[in-house]
Amino acid sequence: MSHYAGYVEDEYEMEDVDDDMDDEFRGREMGGSDSDVDEYDYSNSKVADTTAAQARKGKDIQGIPWDRLSITREKYRQTRLEQYKNYENIPNSGEGSGKDCKDTKKGSVYYQFRRNARSVKSTILHFQLRNLVWATSKHDVYLMSHFSVIHWSSLSCTKSEVLNVSGHVAPSEKHPGSLLEGFTQTQVSTLAVKDKLLVAGGFQGELICKHLDRPGISFCSRTTYDENAITNAVEIYDSPSGAVHFTASNNDCGVRDFDMEKFQLTKHFRYPWPVNHTSLSPDGKLLVIVGDNPEGMLVNSQTGKTVMSLSGHLDFSFASAWHPDGMTFATGNQDKTCRIWDVRNLSKSVAVLKGNLGAIRSIRYTSDGQYMMMAEPADFVHVYDVKSGYEKEQEIDFFGEISGISFSPDTESLFIGVWDRTYGSLLEYGRSRNYSYLDSLI
């Protein structure tokens, strides 16, 4: 990934599109209105959320008062599509990738809008790393907000701080290999939360591990003192023995596996280029490796040796995910595509899915394998029906940079972190269910 380590606003701004429109979009005149779409609820002294009931009555899901702006939503969408700058490491990769893309039928509704939580400010530190939102249940979400990891309960609509890394952080437990002196002012580049374990990765190779059911920090480690040390991704998984492990992908070209039962580094693989993301197969035998090379790799998870290279993408990749069946997996690239691969024939991808604006920076499958979700850098999240062969999709359309996406483990909820100075929030969707048998009771 890029050595550029500035905050995402240095690279992308909604206001870059149209300065005149921006003055109004940012709310220059909003304070003087008594409209029921005001962004601020003065009675409660907090930013007003948007509920499903309000959205059904026509309110914009993000609370943007289009009727009071000098530009329509449709016109602004068109302007964004025309002027958004997709970041590329290989010039024109986005233009060259379109010829193989599958035509999909849009308009499906697999997940319905529930709430937009404006009081939850999801933030991004590095513009290429967008794995900062994780759901551990249909009501519990963890996300980065500046120097804090925040827990949001969609049930009670309350938030609480779980971890603050703005000052000094040190482990409260003693384990061999743990860095007892800890870290100061950690810049969190990536995050993973699964069950009761939270792992935050930092710009200087920091790893901070916290058990959510214990006070304090369990484990701190610095993966490398290399100058190029950014932790690009973390994946938590259960090993065949039942022990909890996590894999850290790093810009120093390393992939490291940690055992959280013994708090030890168990494996360290090195590759020819910086590794941006890894995904372990459901049976634990294979590891997808993607990074600063158009070709990805499928490797043996025990030895790190290459099983097969993955050829087709035209730029660097930052996302990967396995389907729960263990037969197929997906990779996301800055060439604006997501490719679907089948382990039984890796000579070429079996499907190519195209984004609207830019790179595919996050990919998730539901635990039942029914749906796959992919996120662009901003404005669009696509949910595909896997069983239709990725022929049908739901396109979730909004405005703002995407900090992360997550399905709940039970597949019932979908969460999207939106970073924007005015309209930053957490979008929540619920799985559509057709309970036709209830009709007989009415």
Side-chain angles (χ1 to χ4, degrees), residues 427-439:
L427 287 167
E428 178 191 355
Y429 287 74
R431 188 162 176 174
S432 303
R433 296 292 189 183
N434 181 19
Y435 296 116
S436 56
Y437 62 87
L438 290 176
D439 294 344

mmCIF file with all atom_site columns, all heavy atoms in Angstrom, residues 427-439:
data_model
loop_
_atom_site.group_PDB
_atom_site.id
_atom_site.type_symbol
_atom_site.label_atom_id
_atom_site.label_alt_id
_atom_site.label_comp_id
_atom_site.label_asym_id
_atom_site.label_entity_id
_atom_site.label_seq_id
_atom_site.pdbx_PDB_ins_code
_atom_site.Cartn_x
_atom_site.Cartn_y
_atom_site.Cartn_z
_atom_site.occupancy
_atom_site.B_iso_or_equiv
_atom_site.pdbx_formal_charge
_atom_site.auth_seq_id
_atom_site.auth_comp_id
_atom_site.auth_asym_id
_atom_site.auth_atom_id
_atom_site.pdbx_PDB_model_num
ATOM 1   N N   . LEU A 1 427 ? -24.582 3.590   9.197  1.00 0.00 ? 427 LEU A N   1
ATOM 2   C CA  . LEU A 1 427 ? -25.814 3.143   8.557  1.00 0.00 ? 427 LEU A CA  1
ATOM 3   C C   . LEU A 1 427 ? -26.111 1.710   8.979  1.00 0.00 ? 427 LEU A C   1
ATOM 4   O O   . LEU A 1 427 ? -25.213 0.858   8.972  1.00 0.00 ? 427 LEU A O   1
ATOM 5   C CB  . LEU A 1 427 ? -25.679 3.201   7.037  1.00 0.00 ? 427 LEU A CB  1
ATOM 6   C CG  . LEU A 1 427 ? -25.686 4.580   6.375  1.00 0.00 ? 427 LEU A CG  1
ATOM 7   C CD1 . LEU A 1 427 ? -25.229 4.458   4.928  1.00 0.00 ? 427 LEU A CD1 1
ATOM 8   C CD2 . LEU A 1 427 ? -27.067 5.208   6.444  1.00 0.00 ? 427 LEU A CD2 1
ATOM 9   N N   . GLU A 1 428 ? -27.374 1.444   9.312  1.00 0.00 ? 428 GLU A N   1
ATOM 10  C CA  . GLU A 1 428 ? -27.777 0.096   9.725  1.00 0.00 ? 428 GLU A CA  1
ATOM 11  C C   . GLU A 1 428 ? -28.907 -0.396  8.829  1.00 0.00 ? 428 GLU A C   1
ATOM 12  O O   . GLU A 1 428 ? -29.894 0.315   8.598  1.00 0.00 ? 428 GLU A O   1
ATOM 13  C CB  . GLU A 1 428 ? -28.249 0.097   11.175 1.00 0.00 ? 428 GLU A CB  1
ATOM 14  C CG  . GLU A 1 428 ? -28.732 -1.273  11.652 1.00 0.00 ? 428 GLU A CG  1
ATOM 15  C CD  . GLU A 1 428 ? -29.442 -1.221  13.002 1.00 0.00 ? 428 GLU A CD  1
ATOM 16  O OE1 . GLU A 1 428 ? -29.484 -0.140  13.620 1.00 0.00 ? 428 GLU A OE1 1
ATOM 17  O OE2 . GLU A 1 428 ? -29.961 -2.271  13.413 1.00 0.00 ? 428 GLU A OE2 1
ATOM 18  N N   . TYR A 1 429 ? -28.751 -1.617  8.330  1.00 0.00 ? 429 TYR A N   1
ATOM 19  C CA  . TYR A 1 429 ? -29.775 -2.270  7.523  1.00 0.00 ? 429 TYR A CA  1
ATOM 20  C C   . TYR A 1 429 ? -30.125 -3.622  8.148  1.00 0.00 ? 429 TYR A C   1
ATOM 21  O O   . TYR A 1 429 ? -29.273 -4.250  8.780  1.00 0.00 ? 429 TYR A O   1
ATOM 22  C CB  . TYR A 1 429 ? -29.282 -2.489  6.089  1.00 0.00 ? 429 TYR A CB  1
ATOM 23  C CG  . TYR A 1 429 ? -29.218 -1.226  5.258  1.00 0.00 ? 429 TYR A CG  1
ATOM 24  C CD1 . TYR A 1 429 ? -28.218 -0.282  5.474  1.00 0.00 ? 429 TYR A CD1 1
ATOM 25  C CD2 . TYR A 1 429 ? -30.165 -0.966  4.278  1.00 0.00 ? 429 TYR A CD2 1
ATOM 26  C CE1 . TYR A 1 429 ? -28.158 0.888   4.727  1.00 0.00 ? 429 TYR A CE1 1
ATOM 27  C CE2 . TYR A 1 429 ? -30.106 0.202   3.518  1.00 0.00 ? 429 TYR A CE2 1
ATOM 28  C CZ  . TYR A 1 429 ? -29.103 1.120   3.756  1.00 0.00 ? 429 TYR A CZ  1
ATOM 29  O OH  . TYR A 1 429 ? -29.053 2.276   3.019  1.00 0.00 ? 429 TYR A OH  1
ATOM 30  N N   . GLY A 1 430 ? -31.374 -4.066  7.945  1.00 0.00 ? 430 GLY A N   1
ATOM 31  C CA  . GLY A 1 430 ? -31.811 -5.358  8.457  1.00 0.00 ? 430 GLY A CA  1
ATOM 32  C C   . GLY A 1 430 ? -32.205 -6.282  7.321  1.00 0.00 ? 430 GLY A C   1
ATOM 33  O O   . GLY A 1 430 ? -32.767 -5.832  6.300  1.00 0.00 ? 430 GLY A O   1
ATOM 34  N N   . ARG A 1 431 ? -31.944 -7.550  7.482  1.00 0.00 ? 431 ARG A N   1
ATOM 35  C CA  . ARG A 1 431 ? -32.208 -8.517  6.415  1.00 0.00 ? 431 ARG A CA  1
ATOM 36  C C   . ARG A 1 431 ? -33.699 -8.604  6.107  1.00 0.00 ? 431 ARG A C   1
ATOM 37  O O   . ARG A 1 431 ? -34.527 -8.672  7.012  1.00 0.00 ? 431 ARG A O   1
ATOM 38  C CB  . ARG A 1 431 ? -31.668 -9.892  6.801  1.00 0.00 ? 431 ARG A CB  1
ATOM 39  C CG  . ARG A 1 431 ? -31.721 -10.911 5.667  1.00 0.00 ? 431 ARG A CG  1
ATOM 40  C CD  . ARG A 1 431 ? -30.804 -12.071 5.923  1.00 0.00 ? 431 ARG A CD  1
ATOM 41  N NE  . ARG A 1 431 ? -30.910 -13.090 4.889  1.00 0.00 ? 431 ARG A NE  1
ATOM 42  C CZ  . ARG A 1 431 ? -30.133 -14.165 4.791  1.00 0.00 ? 431 ARG A CZ  1
ATOM 43  N NH1 . ARG A 1 431 ? -29.165 -14.349 5.690  1.00 0.00 ? 431 ARG A NH1 1
ATOM 44  N NH2 . ARG A 1 431 ? -30.279 -15.036 3.831  1.00 0.00 ? 431 ARG A NH2 1
ATOM 45  N N   . SER A 1 432 ? -34.017 -8.561  4.819  1.00 0.00 ? 432 SER A N   1
ATOM 46  C CA  . SER A 1 432 ? -35.417 -8.672  4.390  1.00 0.00 ? 432 SER A CA  1
ATOM 47  C C   . SER A 1 432 ? -35.865 -10.114 4.545  1.00 0.00 ? 432 SER A C   1
ATOM 48  O O   . SER A 1 432 ? -35.177 -11.042 4.115  1.00 0.00 ? 432 SER A O   1
ATOM 49  C CB  . SER A 1 432 ? -35.563 -8.241  2.922  1.00 0.00 ? 432 SER A CB  1
ATOM 50  O OG  . SER A 1 432 ? -35.098 -6.925  2.741  1.00 0.00 ? 432 SER A OG  1
ATOM 51  N N   . ARG A 1 433 ? -37.038 -10.289 5.150  1.00 0.00 ? 433 ARG A N   1
ATOM 52  C CA  . ARG A 1 433 ? -37.600 -11.627 5.333  1.00 0.00 ? 433 ARG A CA  1
ATOM 53  C C   . ARG A 1 433 ? -39.014 -11.648 4.775  1.00 0.00 ? 433 ARG A C   1
ATOM 54  O O   . ARG A 1 433 ? -39.786 -10.719 4.984  1.00 0.00 ? 433 ARG A O   1
ATOM 55  C CB  . ARG A 1 433 ? -37.638 -11.999 6.821  1.00 0.00 ? 433 ARG A CB  1
ATOM 56  C CG  . ARG A 1 433 ? -36.266 -12.113 7.477  1.00 0.00 ? 433 ARG A CG  1
ATOM 57  C CD  . ARG A 1 433 ? -35.470 -13.283 6.950  1.00 0.00 ? 433 ARG A CD  1
ATOM 58  N NE  . ARG A 1 433 ? -34.248 -13.522 7.722  1.00 0.00 ? 433 ARG A NE  1
ATOM 59  C CZ  . ARG A 1 433 ? -33.363 -14.455 7.429  1.00 0.00 ? 433 ARG A CZ  1
ATOM 60  N NH1 . ARG A 1 433 ? -33.530 -15.242 6.371  1.00 0.00 ? 433 ARG A NH1 1
ATOM 61  N NH2 . ARG A 1 433 ? -32.269 -14.605 8.165  1.00 0.00 ? 433 ARG A NH2 1
ATOM 62  N N   . ASN A 1 434 ? -39.337 -12.710 4.091  1.00 0.00 ? 434 ASN A N   1
ATOM 63  C CA  . ASN A 1 434 ? -40.681 -12.863 3.545  1.00 0.00 ? 434 ASN A CA  1
ATOM 64  C C   . ASN A 1 434 ? -41.434 -13.882 4.391  1.00 0.00 ? 434 ASN A C   1
ATOM 65  O O   . ASN A 1 434 ? -41.400 -15.077 4.131  1.00 0.00 ? 434 ASN A O   1
ATOM 66  C CB  . ASN A 1 434 ? -40.616 -13.316 2.081  1.00 0.00 ? 434 ASN A CB  1
ATOM 67  C CG  . ASN A 1 434 ? -42.004 -13.453 1.470  1.00 0.00 ? 434 ASN A CG  1
ATOM 68  O OD1 . ASN A 1 434 ? -42.971 -12.888 1.987  1.00 0.00 ? 434 ASN A OD1 1
ATOM 69  N ND2 . ASN A 1 434 ? -42.108 -14.204 0.385  1.00 0.00 ? 434 ASN A ND2 1
ATOM 70  N N   . TYR A 1 435 ? -42.098 -13.374 5.422  1.00 0.00 ? 435 TYR A N   1
ATOM 71  C CA  . TYR A 1 435 ? -42.849 -14.269 6.308  1.00 0.00 ? 435 TYR A CA  1
ATOM 72  C C   . TYR A 1 435 ? -44.270 -14.433 5.767  1.00 0.00 ? 435 TYR A C   1
ATOM 73  O O   . TYR A 1 435 ? -45.238 -13.969 6.358  1.00 0.00 ? 435 TYR A O   1
ATOM 74  C CB  . TYR A 1 435 ? -42.873 -13.709 7.731  1.00 0.00 ? 435 TYR A CB  1
ATOM 75  C CG  . TYR A 1 435 ? -41.508 -13.636 8.375  1.00 0.00 ? 435 TYR A CG  1
ATOM 76  C CD1 . TYR A 1 435 ? -40.944 -12.412 8.724  1.00 0.00 ? 435 TYR A CD1 1
ATOM 77  C CD2 . TYR A 1 435 ? -40.764 -14.794 8.614  1.00 0.00 ? 435 TYR A CD2 1
ATOM 78  C CE1 . TYR A 1 435 ? -39.680 -12.340 9.311  1.00 0.00 ? 435 TYR A CE1 1
ATOM 79  C CE2 . TYR A 1 435 ? -39.509 -14.732 9.195  1.00 0.00 ? 435 TYR A CE2 1
ATOM 80  C CZ  . TYR A 1 435 ? -38.981 -13.504 9.542  1.00 0.00 ? 435 TYR A CZ  1
ATOM 81  O OH  . TYR A 1 435 ? -37.734 -13.433 10.122 1.00 0.00 ? 435 TYR A OH  1
ATOM 82  N N   . SER A 1 436 ? -44.379 -15.092 4.636  1.00 0.00 ? 436 SER A N   1
ATOM 83  C CA  . SER A 1 436 ? -45.676 -15.200 3.964  1.00 0.00 ? 436 SER A CA  1
ATOM 84  C C   . SER A 1 436 ? -46.698 -15.989 4.774  1.00 0.00 ? 436 SER A C   1
ATOM 85  O O   . SER A 1 436 ? -47.903 -15.788 4.636  1.00 0.00 ? 436 SER A O   1
ATOM 86  C CB  . SER A 1 436 ? -45.492 -15.840 2.581  1.00 0.00 ? 436 SER A CB  1
ATOM 87  O OG  . SER A 1 436 ? -44.856 -17.089 2.693  1.00 0.00 ? 436 SER A OG  1
ATOM 88  N N   . TYR A 1 437 ? -46.210 -16.876 5.644  1.00 0.00 ? 437 TYR A N   1
ATOM 89  C CA  . TYR A 1 437 ? -47.144 -17.687 6.422  1.00 0.00 ? 437 TYR A CA  1
ATOM 90  C C   . TYR A 1 437 ? -47.954 -16.839 7.399  1.00 0.00 ? 437 TYR A C   1
ATOM 91  O O   . TYR A 1 437 ? -49.014 -17.237 7.857  1.00 0.00 ? 437 TYR A O   1
ATOM 92  C CB  . TYR A 1 437 ? -46.402 -18.789 7.182  1.00 0.00 ? 437 TYR A CB  1
ATOM 93  C CG  . TYR A 1 437 ? -45.404 -18.293 8.200  1.00 0.00 ? 437 TYR A CG  1
ATOM 94  C CD1 . TYR A 1 437 ? -45.794 -18.000 9.501  1.00 0.00 ? 437 TYR A CD1 1
ATOM 95  C CD2 . TYR A 1 437 ? -44.057 -18.120 7.871  1.00 0.00 ? 437 TYR A CD2 1
ATOM 96  C CE1 . TYR A 1 437 ? -44.881 -17.546 10.434 1.00 0.00 ? 437 TYR A CE1 1
ATOM 97  C CE2 . TYR A 1 437 ? -43.147 -17.661 8.797  1.00 0.00 ? 437 TYR A CE2 1
ATOM 98  C CZ  . TYR A 1 437 ? -43.560 -17.377 10.084 1.00 0.00 ? 437 TYR A CZ  1
ATOM 99  O OH  . TYR A 1 437 ? -42.645 -16.917 11.009 1.00 0.00 ? 437 TYR A OH  1
ATOM 100 N N   . LEU A 1 438 ? -47.451 -15.631 7.696  1.00 0.00 ? 438 LEU A N   1
ATOM 101 C CA  . LEU A 1 438 ? -48.174 -14.759 8.628  1.00 0.00 ? 438 LEU A CA  1
ATOM 102 C C   . LEU A 1 438 ? -49.438 -14.169 7.985  1.00 0.00 ? 438 LEU A C   1
ATOM 103 O O   . LEU A 1 438 ? -50.351 -13.736 8.679  1.00 0.00 ? 438 LEU A O   1
ATOM 104 C CB  . LEU A 1 438 ? -47.269 -13.614 9.106  1.00 0.00 ? 438 LEU A CB  1
ATOM 105 C CG  . LEU A 1 438 ? -46.126 -14.016 10.043 1.00 0.00 ? 438 LEU A CG  1
ATOM 106 C CD1 . LEU A 1 438 ? -45.274 -12.790 10.354 1.00 0.00 ? 438 LEU A CD1 1
ATOM 107 C CD2 . LEU A 1 438 ? -46.661 -14.608 11.345 1.00 0.00 ? 438 LEU A CD2 1
ATOM 108 N N   . ASP A 1 439 ? -49.467 -14.166 6.651  1.00 0.00 ? 439 ASP A N   1
ATOM 109 C CA  . ASP A 1 439 ? -50.632 -13.602 5.963  1.00 0.00 ? 439 ASP A CA  1
ATOM 110 C C   . ASP A 1 439 ? -51.919 -14.325 6.347  1.00 0.00 ? 439 ASP A C   1
ATOM 111 O O   . ASP A 1 439 ? -53.000 -13.746 6.327  1.00 0.00 ? 439 ASP A O   1
ATOM 112 C CB  . ASP A 1 439 ? -50.455 -13.668 4.446  1.00 0.00 ? 439 ASP A CB  1
ATOM 113 C CG  . ASP A 1 439 ? -49.309 -12.772 3.990  1.00 0.00 ? 439 ASP A CG  1
ATOM 114 O OD1 . ASP A 1 439 ? -48.891 -11.908 4.771  1.00 0.00 ? 439 ASP A OD1 1
ATOM 115 O OD2 . ASP A 1 439 ? -48.854 -12.948 2.844  1.00 0.00 ? 439 ASP A OD2 1
#
